[in-house]
Amino acid sequence: MKSYFPHYYEFQQGDWETFEELAKTVSVDAKTGRKTVEFNPEKFRQEGDFIISNDEGRLHLCFSDDEVVRVPEGVKAIAPSAFHKDLCPNVRHIILSDTVVGIAQYAICGCSVEELTINNKYIYISDSAFDWCSSLRVIHHISERVTIHVKEDEGRCARPVRFETMESSGIEDDSDFDPDDLPF
């Protein structure tokens, strides 16, 4: 019997501790009204409202107050709880850069997130990536030119219910998109 080896983009040892460590340092600057986070610059870097690990390029924390959030180029993976409802309560639409190749379980656990845009054809999405994101309704998979409509399932998860092909841009359709290949 083969041992189970989790995918690189799945939960990693220390992910919850990292989230808790970063989340407890979030504060609001009295002068600017903007959120700030304390972090170890040897382990993490900050790009806008994002805290990203230096060694892996994993997005560990979003603390934006914006409704539309664009994940910066160079981010390779989205860690568990990176988009947590308590730290980015207003986010409605998350746009992933084409460098994002993996989304871990429980990465998007925000009650306000309604829309997700994916720009990488070969992205890995954990089975539980959208658990606790009952408001998610639409996933745009740009490189596959498909919009996936989702709905709440069992009170906590987003599950696909309908697929639409996006308008063609004049490029010949060579897509081999198969809804059965979706990980959720």
Side-chain angles (χ1 to χ4, degrees), residues 50 59 62 69 71 78 81-85 88 91 94 107-110:
F50 302 97
L59 171 61
C62 172
V69 175
V71 173
I78 310 298
S81 294
F83 291 94
H84 194 278
K85 65 182 178 181
C88 50
V91 68
I94 300 170
I108 301 171
C109 48

Side-chain angles (χ1 to χ4, degrees), residues 12-24:
Q12 299 291 311
Q13 185 70 31
D15 275 344
W16 296 124
E17 293 83 1
T18 298
F19 169 75
E20 289 175 352
E21 177 184 319
L22 292 170
K24 72 180 178 185

Side-chain angles (χ1 to χ4, degrees), residues 71-125:
V71 173
E73 287 290 321
V75 170
K76 295 178 184 174
I78 310 298
S81 294
F83 291 94
H84 194 278
K85 65 182 178 181
D86 294 339
L87 299 175
C88 50
N90 302 324
V91 68
R92 301 273 181 268
H93 185 182
I94 300 170
I95 302 169
L96 302 179
S97 66
D98 62 354
T99 59
V100 176
V101 294
I103 304 175
Q105 59 271 64
Y106 314 114
I108 301 171
C109 48
C111 294
S112 64
V113 177
E114 299 170 356
E115 196 170 353
L116 176 69
T117 299
I118 298 170
N119 285 292
N120 186 329
K121 181 176 184 172
Y122 302 106
I123 193 165
Y124 170 83
I125 303 173

Side-chain angles (χ1 to χ4, degrees), residues 128-162:
S128 305
F130 311 122
D131 277 15
W132 310 113
C133 189
S134 60
S135 60
L136 184 64
R137 297 291 175 252
V138 179
I139 300 172
H140 304 286
H141 200 297
I142 302 302
S143 59
E144 290 292 337
R145 294 193 311 269
V146 67
T147 295
I148 305 159
H149 295 267
V150 297
K151 71 173 189 166
E152 183 179 347
D153 181 33
E154 299 177 14
R156 64 179 192 140
C157 317
R159 297 290 178 232
V161 292
R162 184 168 51 97

